[in-house]
Amino acid sequence: MPNIIITGASDGIGAEIARQLARRHGLQALLVLAARNTAGLQSVAAECKALGARTLILPTDVTVEAQCRHLVETTVRECGSLDILVNNAGVSAHALLADVPTDKLGWYHDLMQVNLWGSVYCTHAALPYLKESHGRIVAVSSLAGLVGVPGRTAYSASKFAMTGFFEALRTELHGSGVSVTLAYPGVVDTRIRMNGMNAQGEKAGRSGLKEAGAMSVHECARLIVDGMVRRKRDVVMTAQGKFGRWLKLLAPSLVDRLAMAAVKPDYRPK
Ligand SMILES: NC(=O)c1ccc[n+]([C@@H]2O[C@H](COP(=O)([O-])OP(=O)(O)OC[C@H]3O[C@@H](n4cnc5c(N)ncnc54)[C@H](OP(=O)(O)O)[C@@H]3O)[C@@H](O)[C@H]2O)c1
């Protein structure tokens, strides 16, 4: 009976992972839903319950280490064990570095605090319990965590950092029975870019990426759950993402041009 923590479960990909796990496991699963927006968590919990799963709502801001420890400790106290940690909570941003005002660079720290440190805090707290259960860690990085994308210096840095952290951790966990699955979505149809930050560190309200052909949230979550179940190392999404990973070794400047082509013209460097 898996006990599963999902961060960023109030919306988007995390909410859909919860719904798909509810459908898959029914009463066998205990889904611990974590994010800041309690109303969002309650509505996702209601959907999961309707699909037959048990849920526990633990409002959590992953940028606060004590709240991440509370999330993990409460889960283990209430459920007896922890089998899976899905590090999914994340924030987006789109701005050319040159456009960021000198007094506004602080939001680069804020983004790193959610995307990298939120994962570090939760994973560190969960590690002893995951070792006991021979459990699974999932980390939702991004194709921007494999390839630098223009306008994404903050976001790419945070996702490359996630990639490095979890790749190194995987080597440390060799032989422990704990698997680490890194997921690299491309453009997925959620509100993340609307809610993400602009050069001023304010809510962007629009996307700087070409959204046509975005992957559905359902398909993205399905690929992540499949990778988690099969304890895959990596889940690299989209044909372009898979191809780009290899092309970067052979013709990196061509990958730079492909990354530029993914950005809307008015978001490119002048
Ligand atoms: N959508 C894409 O195209 C795409 C592509 C590549 C990678 N990803 C990654 O996939 C993950 C999920 O993205 P999404 O598209 O589903 O985004 P989303 O729809 O905006 O959802 C983001 C989730 O993260 C939570 N979150 C944000 N800040 C948080 C904090 N400080 N503490 C706790 N939870 C926090 C939000 O909940 P609250 O606001 O309630 O806290 C929300 O549940 C992210 O890591 C993102 O970087 C997304």
Side-chain angles (χ1 to χ4, degrees), residues 151-169:
R152 311 280 271 168
T153 50
Y155 186 71
S156 276
S158 71
K159 292 297 183 178
F160 268 76
M162 266 187 92
T163 301
F165 175 81
F166 284 104
E167 285 204 343
L169 180 63

Side-chain angles (χ1 to χ4, degrees), residues 169-191:
L169 180 63
R170 184 192 286 128
T171 66
E172 292 180 15
L173 290 173
H174 182 73
S176 70
V178 181
S179 54
V180 176
T181 299
L182 264 157
Y184 301 97
V187 179
V188 182
D189 186 15
T190 70
R191 286 184 282 265

Side-chain angles (χ1 to χ4, degrees), residues 7-8 34-36 59-69 71 87 89-91 106-122 197:
T7 69
R36 294 162 305 173
T60 306
D61 182 340
V62 297
T63 67
V64 183
E65 183 177 359
Q67 292 192 24
C68 298
R69 295 205 178 279
L71 167 66
N87 289 292
V91 177
W107 66 258
Y108 273 57
H109 285 275
D110 300 342
L111 197 88
M112 196 65 93
Q113 198 66 28
V114 183
N115 293 358
L116 173 66
W117 285 102
S119 298
V120 173
Y121 296 150
C122 290
M197 294 182 224

Side-chain angles (χ1 to χ4, degrees), residues 28-42:
Q28 299 300 312
L30 188 281
L31 302 174
V32 182
L33 307 178
R36 294 162 305 173
N37 175 353
T38 308
L41 291 175
Q42 282 166 343

Side-chain angles (χ1 to χ4, degrees), residues 224-251:
I224 292 172
V225 169
D226 177 66
M228 179 191 97
V229 169
R230 294 164 60 191
R231 294 188 188 264
K232 286 173 79 170
R233 287 171 66 95
D234 296 320
V235 180
V236 181
M237 298 187 197
T238 80
Q240 202 183 24
K242 291 186 181 94
F243 180 58
R245 202 176 188 193
W246 295 108
L247 192 61
K248 192 175 167 182
L249 301 172
L250 302 170

